[in-house]
Amino acid sequence: MQRLREMRTTGVERAIVVAATGTGKTLLAAFDVLAAGAKQVLFVAHRKDIVTQAAREFARVFGASLPCEVLVEGERSRGQPFVFVTIQTLLAASGAGLRERAFDYVVIDEFHHASAPGWREMLRAIRTSFLLGLTATPERADGHNVMELCDWNVAYEIRLPAAIRGGFLAPFHYFGIADDLVDYQKLLGAGRRRFDEDELGAALSLTERVDLLLRHADEKGYDGPKRVAVAFCAGVAHAEFMRREVERRGRRAEVVHGGTSLDDRARIYAALQDPANALEWLFVADVLNEGVDLPALNTVVFLRPTESPVVFLQQLGRGLRRHESTALLTVLDFVGVHRGAFEALLALHDSSAVPTSRSAEVARSLGVAFTPPEGCEVVLEDQTLKVLEKVRQLTTTRASRVEGVYRELREELGRPPRPIDLWDRRDVTLADVRTCFGSWRHLRMKMGDAARWEHVVEDEGALDRLLRTAEKNSQQQRVWGYAALWAAADPGRELAEEYGRFFEEHSQWKVEHGKDQLDAGREEIIENLKGLLKKADALDLLEGDGRWSASIASMLQDAVVHDALRERLAPTLASDYRLRHGGVLREPSELRRFASYSRPEIVNHFGEQYDPTRHNLGVINATKHVGHHVLIARVDTTQAKEQHQYENRVVDRMHFEWSSQTKMRPDNRAGELVTRQQELKLRLHLFVAPRAHAGHRYLGEVTVLSYEGSGPMQVRFELAEPLPDAVFDELSTAAD
């Protein structure tokens, strides 16, 4: 709430809160609406049960007399100050009045749906002083990231692993059950990446799988007075089959699907969670991914292959809410031979978690980096490991993965994908496109989507090189070079005018516009452009007077071509903004010893946004927290420049030797960090990466034991707590 208040004070008009399922997003919105003093409020979601429940949550904050209306079936607004409405009703003819009405505060729940058709139009049309998006997963199931719709203004972020660590959600024990009764490859067929739901449901409706489920459920047990289980099925027919077979074996079961009435759902949910009721199993289809609270759940079962890690986490989140009768969630996952099996399991990986000997063993078995959230366990039986090994053998070439994802996006979007549509995906990256095809243009040609002009572009010619330059992040310290290229993409317009238009159309980047760029003239903009092109080894694309070469200028006269050039800049603009301005600011006290952090995350924990001009150093003075100093080291420095190949090493579990930068000496100000630590009561936070491009383990606050040498100084630190075995092994063997 403090962050949201600060944002509004600085003129921010839209923001997003990313918070794991069960951490209180709806209540946060209600309390912030109250704090903002909003009188006219609109709450939008895509399901009627979500908006109905949201109205109840707001009433808890504002009181039972809250002047509100809930519109879920195309009803017209009666003009109440607080309106809770489904997106379908808002976009229907009956919602015309709401679309024209001005609001003080708009809340968009399950904001990851906001890039779908209809939502975007609504976001553009709605009139409001402030808009707040709420989501647990800004990465949509189709890979789209919706943070851009809130100008990357992330007010706060707490993902599922952090929520479990903080005690806000329950820990889980995950059991991977080998599912070798179904031939998933036959179901997928040649070249298909998605299952036919009817075929899948029929194939999964096996009495042997029912017996396998109940046997493992009885073996693994549950925490609570009775089993409260939700099992996700492949369609209504599969769910009904499971209910019949489970009841035939003497267990009480029910089914809920998209056609089940709200009253029936409420009755079934209440019975399932009632310790005195015999109902223990609920088989669901196309529901319970989002927006429903069943806090007494103690068992979640995945009976169908999960084709999206986003959906997997949404469904898992149904069982992670805290409840007085349940301290632990049991997860039973049927792991079959299909490509999605690995993705679902890796969705449980917490990149910043402290590895344990057991998690390291699982990682070795899988052949990938894998650590579950702290307090959680992942148990894979031998047969499951064999299944996963077969899954790994199914892995296609990178080029085939790129082509498959491209086809999926084209089908979902109804148009050829753009580079931004691949941005921030886990399975396929833009770097994969460049590695496998050379450029985005070549991928479009391979997929049959290239425009006529793309076919006539000469490989390694001037325009080809310019397009490649726009596709690659050149690690600029400020946005000015990219803004200059965006402006110069249309040579038919005045450069300074287009440069200013960049900051108008990309308002979030005004934070780097600055007074020195506000009235930038042509010469200064050309210098910014030259800086970018020089970094990309493409400075020869400009003539001496700063204009494009004749061949480039001719092609850029076509609006389709210069728009394509600008489209290629979009992923870098998104990445750099999140890196330098999208970090959630935290406190040093929130750091967890032995967890892994990126450099921007380290800086964020000391109350600042990452600035590559100030924070790419081995020693960072925390200006927001006086007396705190950050030391960032790497064990294996062989890939660094010769002058930066410092000697850092783990001595033993309690001691680390650190080599300072050459400017640090015992007789200068920089050296006081070491020589006068105790006298000045300096707090030194040590972060160590095993090698380049790896996360930095936080070794905690350290004490200087001894030092020698000068420029650089060799310093021995004592840790406050011994290194765990897995962390010791990771750091002590990094330079081998």
Side-chain angles (χ1 to χ4, degrees), residues 42-224:
L42 180 69
F43 187 104
V44 186
H46 71 300
R47 301 177 76 108
K48 54 188 177 183
D49 46 356
I50 295 177
V51 295
T52 302
Q53 181 171 309
R56 290 196 295 266
E57 294 293 275
F58 269 66
R60 293 176 62 194
V61 174
F62 284 86
S65 60
L66 175 71
C68 75
E69 56 189 3
V70 179
L71 310 176
V72 297
E73 297 289 354
E75 302 98 329
R76 293 184 182 276
S77 171
R78 302 184 305 279
Q80 290 286 350
F82 283 66
V83 182
F84 298 83
V85 61
T86 60
I87 183 66
Q88 295 84 355
T89 298
L90 181 62
L91 295 179
S94 58
L98 286 176
R99 297 195 298 273
E100 296 169 0
R101 183 170 153 188
F103 291 94
D104 302 322
Y105 201 123
V106 170
V107 181
I108 309 295
D109 201 7
E110 307 296 351
F111 194 70
H112 47 278
H113 293 285
S115 64
W119 286 84
R120 281 182 176 270
E121 290 76 4
M122 182 271 293
L123 286 174
R124 282 195 293 265
I126 205 75
R127 291 190 294 156
T128 181
S129 300
F130 187 73
L131 183 146
L132 178 64
L134 305 174
T135 183
T137 51
E139 306 83 14
R140 281 171 33 119
D142 59 16
H144 298 181
N145 192 302
V146 296
M147 287 187 182
E148 60 176 313
L149 300 179
C150 277
D151 296 335
W152 307 101
N153 294 320
V154 183
Y156 203 76
E157 184 170 0
I158 179 167
R159 300 288 185 135
L160 185 143
I164 292 175
R165 287 195 303 268
F168 310 122
L169 297 180
F172 61 81
H173 281 184
Y174 169 99
F175 298 93
I177 301 169
D179 184 16
D180 47 12
L181 297 170
V182 180
D183 187 347
Y184 290 102
Q185 295 312 296
K186 183 178 179 181
L187 286 171
L188 281 172
R192 283 169 53 186
R193 291 179 60 88
R194 294 186 180 277
F195 295 102
D196 177 276
E197 293 298 296
D198 293 336
E199 291 179 5
L200 179 62
L204 297 181
S205 298
L206 302 173
T207 57
E208 296 93 335
R209 285 182 103 241
V210 179
D211 294 332
L212 187 63
L213 166 63
L214 295 180
R215 176 167 63 83
H216 278 280
D218 291 341
E219 286 178 0
K220 273 59 179 185
Y222 55 87
D223 184 34

Side-chain angles (χ1 to χ4, degrees), residues 631 658 660 664-682 684 703-711 713-717:
L631 311 179
W658 173 70
S660 77
M664 181 176 282
R665 305 190 306 273
D667 59 352
N668 67 8
R669 182 74 177 269
E672 288 183 349
L673 200 68
V674 171
T675 62
R676 302 179 64 192
Q677 182 202 9
Q678 295 188 34
E679 176 189 347
L680 298 177
K681 298 182 179 179
L682 302 178
L684 307 183
T703 303
V704 176
L705 282 186
S706 62
Y707 57 88
E708 60 182 25
S710 178
M713 297 173 64
Q714 289 297 130
V715 185
R716 177 168 290 203
F717 292 118

Side-chain angles (χ1 to χ4, degrees), residues 622-661:
T623 56
K624 300 288 186 182
H625 294 272
V626 178
H628 290 260
H629 300 268
V630 177
L631 311 179
I632 301 179
R634 191 197 310 164
V635 176
D636 180 5
T637 60
T638 55
Q639 295 185 27
K641 295 180 180 179
E642 185 175 352
Q643 65 268 32
H644 296 150
Q645 291 184 6
Y646 304 116
E647 295 182 9
N648 305 308
R649 71 183 185 95
V650 173
V651 178
D652 54 42
R653 282 174 169 75
M654 283 295 295
H655 300 94
F656 187 85
E657 281 192 356
W658 173 70
S659 179
S660 77
Q661 294 174 311

Side-chain angles (χ1 to χ4, degrees), residues 279-491:
L279 179 62
E280 291 190 338
W281 290 93
L282 178 60
F283 297 97
V284 302
D286 302 322
V287 294
L288 283 183
N289 286 4
E290 306 160 329
V292 177
D293 293 335
L294 297 175
L297 271 187
N298 55 28
T299 305
V300 168
V301 183
F302 297 95
L303 287 173
R304 59 157 298 153
T306 304
E307 297 176 82
S308 160
V310 172
V311 173
F312 178 82
L313 290 177
Q314 289 172 343
Q315 294 175 342
L316 177 67
R318 295 303 102 207
L320 294 177
R321 294 180 185 272
R322 283 290 189 185
H323 191 263
E324 62 271 11
S325 67
T326 304
L328 181 73
L329 175 69
T330 298
V331 181
L332 305 177
D333 188 9
F334 281 66
V335 181
V337 182
H338 56 87
R339 294 186 181 93
F342 240 103
E343 285 200 24
L345 184 60
L346 292 181
L348 302 177
H349 172 54
D350 180 1
S351 60
S352 66
V354 180
T356 64
S357 298
R358 182 164 185 170
S359 70
E361 183 180 345
V362 172
R364 283 193 296 270
S365 299
L366 296 177
V368 294
F370 181 76
T371 308
E374 292 171 25
C376 302
E377 293 285 350
V378 170
V379 181
L380 303 176
E381 56 187 19
D382 290 343
Q383 188 61 29
T384 306
L385 290 172
K386 292 178 182 178
V387 168
L388 289 170
E389 179 59 34
K390 292 180 181 178
V391 174
R392 284 206 296 174
Q393 294 171 5
L394 291 174
T395 302
T396 58
T397 64
R398 258 196 300 183
S400 296
R401 289 203 306 273
V402 171
E403 291 180 24
V405 169
Y406 186 100
R407 290 190 193 95
E408 282 184 11
L409 283 171
R410 183 168 57 191
E411 181 180 341
E412 290 161 356
L413 298 169
R415 60 165 172 78
R418 295 190 289 261
I420 192 65
D421 295 318
L422 274 187
W423 180 77
D424 210 31
R425 287 187 71 113
R426 289 159 50 104
D427 50 352
V428 166
T429 68
L430 291 166
D432 292 331
V433 172
R434 291 193 297 272
T435 299
C436 299
F437 298 92
S439 71
W440 188 259
R441 179 176 69 89
H442 285 90
L443 173 60
R444 282 171 53 86
M445 291 170 66
K446 177 70 165 59
M447 304 305 294
D449 286 334
R452 184 175 180 180
W453 70 267
E454 290 174 289
H455 285 285
V456 301
V457 171
E458 180 185 356
D459 286 351
E460 300 303 328
L463 184 57
D464 181 55
R465 291 173 57 210
L466 181 60
L467 291 169
R468 290 172 189 258
T469 296
E471 290 174 19
K472 189 174 181 181
N473 191 326
S474 296
Q475 306 297 314
Q476 298 288 285
Q477 295 181 333
R478 291 289 181 262
V479 76
W480 306 332
Y482 300 122
L485 178 55
W486 188 94
D490 187 351

Side-chain angles (χ1 to χ4, degrees), residues 542-597:
L542 285 179
E543 303 288 1
D545 61 356
R547 300 182 187 278
W548 294 119
S549 63
S551 61
I552 290 179
S554 174
M555 290 291 287
L556 289 179
Q557 294 297 328
D558 187 336
V560 174
V561 179
H562 68 64
D563 284 349
L565 179 62
R566 286 174 173 175
E567 284 178 359
R568 283 155 169 76
L569 285 169
T572 293
L573 293 172
S575 297
D576 281 13
Y577 185 82
R578 185 173 67 177
L579 186 73
R580 302 205 289 271
H581 306 289
V584 176
L585 304 186
R586 304 188 187 276
E587 300 288 322
S589 59
E590 295 183 64
L591 288 164
R592 296 175 300 108
R593 190 178 281 117
F594 308 127
S596 179
Y597 298 94

